[in-house]
Amino acid sequence: MGNFKMLIDRYGRSIEYLRISLIDKCDLRCSYCIPKGFKEFERPANWLSFDEIVRVVAAFARMGTSRFRLTGGEPLLRKDLPELVARLSALEGVEDLSMSTNGTQLEKYAQPLRDAGLHRLNVSLDSLRRECVQEISGSDSLPKVMAGLEAARQAGFNKIKINMVPLPGVNMPDIEDMVAFCIQNQFVLRLIEVMPMGVTGQKQDYVDLQNTIEQLKDKFNLQESSRVFGGGPARYWETPNSDFTLGFITPRSQHFCETCNRVRLAVDGTLYLCLGQDHQLNLKPYLSDNCTDEELDNAILKAIDLKPERHEFNASPEKIIRLMSMTGG
């Protein structure tokens, strides 16, 4: 069919990146993501099937989207995941297939995922101190994550990204240790400002990372990088005499809405057009009704037309009550 229908929104932004939530459940309860005791997850009967996910990804790829990220919840809790990865990586137009994970199941799945065609991995890790990881995640998960990272490296994943959310009074003093750890292991470190998603995210004090950038820049002799690592919004810095790269994702202190190139597919088939707004369109009815490819393409085009100009995290932080795990990472 060719890319005759390109996904360009009303503000001239090309949609090159789709994040896909495979499951909203998670085996951790990170303080900035899912409230303790929360059990109102989507029932598996309402999840998109592998066939439906493949149809949606194929449609986006037909219209020029080339980067796809599998997220959750925790995507490795989705049964038979390597089978889905193999099907997606084989689709025409899928140039970059990556996954975000908390790493607790990675020791078991790293090699099967690599064999199935997964290109890249992002692993969440908010501290190297075991008690701090337990405080943030609600679980003594650090040994599992470390074993998972080693398994991923053995499986041949390069430039693994470590995602760290700095939280005041919790893990701020750990940032320099994390930089040293990532230099030693040739990981890419990304510091992410906490987003006010749901009650938990809205309760978190947020760290403006602009000061942190200045401090780390001086200490580690960082220089702004023009290299691109994936299709996301991070700005990267590099050290001149080593392979180390540090990324900053700053949706609040320095938002990147004017260049936003992504949308999110929730586990129930809802396409969210902005993390910080409620614009959405549910693709599940089209898929359940065995729509034609053209009908699916047109539904996606209709959704992209709803994409707002910008989020309102700073002006209206209480606006979005859905959880991060429901939206798709």
Side-chain angles (χ1 to χ4, degrees), residues 22-265:
L22 302 179
I23 186 169
D24 55 350
K25 290 190 175 74
C26 188
D27 52 345
L28 301 181
R29 289 291 177 275
C30 293
S31 56
Y32 49 80
C33 187
I34 303 177
K36 279 181 185 159
F38 181 84
K39 292 192 171 63
E40 295 170 40
F41 295 110
E42 192 60 74
R43 288 181 299 120
N46 296 334
W47 295 349
L48 289 186
S49 68
F50 282 4
D51 286 348
E52 289 170 330
I53 292 168
V54 169
R55 278 206 75 189
V56 174
V57 170
F60 269 89
R62 270 197 301 277
M63 294 186 280
T65 302
S66 60
R67 297 179 181 275
F68 299 88
R69 174 170 294 279
L70 305 177
T71 71
E74 174 44 53
L76 294 181
L77 297 180
R78 183 79 187 247
K79 197 170 171 235
D80 300 324
L81 183 54
E83 176 201 321
L84 176 64
V85 169
R87 291 177 66 182
L88 295 178
S89 66
L91 289 172
E92 187 179 348
V94 175
E95 293 172 11
D96 184 54
L97 182 63
S98 57
M99 179 182 293
S100 293
T101 172
N102 64 27
T104 60
Q105 314 288 318
L106 199 50
E107 186 176 17
K108 177 180 175 186
Y109 287 110
Q111 192 65 59
L113 289 170
R114 186 72 178 162
D115 293 344
L118 190 71
H119 298 135
R120 296 186 300 111
L121 274 173
N122 287 21
V123 180
S124 295
L125 182 59
D126 291 317
S127 176
L128 297 171
R129 290 182 294 122
R130 197 164 172 172
E131 67 279 8
C132 184
V133 169
Q134 180 151 11
E135 179 189 348
I136 294 172
S137 71
S139 172
D140 183 19
S141 54
L142 183 61
K144 285 187 196 169
V145 178
M146 289 300 196
L149 283 169
E150 185 53 35
R153 198 192 346 232
Q154 295 290 335
F157 285 102
N158 300 318
K159 290 288 179 191
I160 296 168
K161 291 178 183 170
I162 304 293
N163 287 347
M164 178 182 186
V165 179
L167 302 168
V170 182
N171 64 346
M172 289 297 291
D174 299 341
I175 292 175
E176 288 189 11
D177 285 346
M178 190 69 88
V179 170
F181 170 74
C182 289
I183 288 173
Q184 181 187 345
N185 289 282
Q186 297 187 312
F187 297 145
V188 174
L189 176 62
R190 300 178 341 143
L191 303 179
I192 304 173
E193 289 176 349
V194 70
M195 288 174 251
M197 300 283 294
V199 176
T200 44
Q202 287 162 16
K203 280 184 180 168
Q204 292 289 342
D205 289 333
Y206 120 83
V207 177
D208 180 330
L209 285 179
Q210 300 307 317
N211 291 335
T212 308
I213 292 173
E214 290 305 314
Q215 290 162 9
L216 293 176
K217 191 172 76 172
D218 294 341
K219 174 140 188 147
F220 292 96
N221 190 24
L222 294 168
Q223 297 174 2
E224 207 151 359
S225 171
S226 57
R227 287 202 288 166
V228 175
F229 297 84
R235 291 179 304 128
Y236 287 100
W237 298 73
E238 294 177 302
T239 46
N241 300 317
S242 85
D243 226 8
F244 175 61
T245 308
L246 176 64
F248 293 90
I249 299 181
T250 55
R252 300 184 70 179
S253 65
Q254 194 174 55
H255 74 78
F256 34 80
C257 298
E258 67 279 358
T259 58
C260 182
N261 63 351
R262 73 206 64 89
V263 295
R264 289 169 165 81
L265 181 69

